[in-house]
Amino acid sequence: MVESIFSVPNEISFAEAIALTQSLLNRVEQHEISEAVFQPTLSDLVQTENGARGFFVTYLSDPRPLVEQLRTVVIEALKTSADVVSPLLVKNLVMSTAMAMTHRRNQDETMAQGSDQVRSRTLQLIQALPLPQLKEQAHHLATSIRTGSGEYQLFLERWSYDLAQKQAMLSALEQAGLLETSG
């Protein structure tokens, strides 16, 4: 039975989630499993932070057109775990925005375009997900950017984002419709 191949362990590691996502995408691409199998497996996968992180790192950077074709199924699966996926989507949006800037500063346009792809896919998912948790997380992140304290301050410090990157993050959150536009 194909479904049993894709059971998601309760304590899935980040690496296992990446491998499972890659396997799922490959099987869908090869028509070995249907969207009807993919969606509930993905719903199970995104119930944990490691599962959702592994899914996003694979899905958002995958170059295949298949990823775009699965967007509706992915959105339905993500809705089942709003509290887990919302902070990760917000972080993916701002991190990819900041990394594109870093890569361009380093004259690495190939890497910058990869970050742009992650940003674009994340933006599309956010705009298609009517989750109040997304706006709540964006508000917390914006507060940390503006005040230098709060829920996301350690995240910002960990990655040493500069002022220009933080401004770009706020713009990305506004573009996503998660913050009121400033000025």
Side-chain angles (χ1 to χ4, degrees), residues 114-160:
S115 293
D116 289 342
Q117 175 185 294
V118 170
R119 181 184 183 281
S120 175
R121 284 193 180 152
T122 303
L123 181 61
Q124 291 168 359
L125 291 175
I126 287 171
Q127 290 176 329
L129 284 164
L131 302 175
Q133 294 91 331
L134 286 166
K135 285 190 175 190
E136 179 183 326
Q137 293 300 316
H139 174 74
H140 291 309
L141 178 54
T143 298
S144 292
I145 289 171
R146 291 174 179 142
T147 68
S149 64
E151 189 175 321
Y152 279 90
Q153 189 55 33
L154 290 176
F155 164 77
L156 295 169
E157 289 173 4
R158 176 180 181 198
W159 299 107
S160 302

Side-chain angles (χ1 to χ4, degrees), residues 2-3 6 23-44 55 59 65-78 80:
V2 174
E3 288 85 347
F6 295 109
S23 180
L24 282 167
L25 292 173
N26 291 340
R27 296 255 179 139
V28 170
E29 183 179 46
Q30 299 300 317
H31 305 289
E32 294 174 9
I33 63 169
S34 67
E35 291 180 4
V37 173
F38 178 80
Q39 184 176 332
T41 304
L42 179 54
S43 292
D44 288 346
F55 167 72
Y59 175 83
L66 164 74
V67 172
E68 302 300 330
Q69 297 162 10
L70 291 172
R71 185 177 310 131
T72 302
V73 175
V74 167
I75 289 165
E76 289 308 309
L78 296 179
T80 68

Side-chain angles (χ1 to χ4, degrees), residues 155-169:
F155 164 77
L156 295 169
E157 289 173 4
R158 176 180 181 198
W159 299 107
S160 302
Y161 295 120
D162 63 30
L163 183 59
Q165 289 171 316
K166 290 176 184 177
Q167 288 303 316
M169 290 174 170

Side-chain angles (χ1 to χ4, degrees), residues 6 12 14-28 33 38 41-42 45-46 50-60 62 64 66-67 70:
F6 295 109
I12 193 165
F14 178 59
E16 290 169 335
I18 291 170
L20 178 58
T21 302
Q22 289 170 337
S23 180
L24 282 167
L25 292 173
N26 291 340
R27 296 255 179 139
V28 170
I33 63 169
F38 178 80
T41 304
L42 179 54
L45 184 61
V46 298
N50 278 341
R53 284 179 55 234
F55 167 72
F56 285 132
V57 84
T58 305
Y59 175 83
L60 295 172
D62 193 295
R64 295 176 284 191
L66 164 74
V67 172
L70 291 172

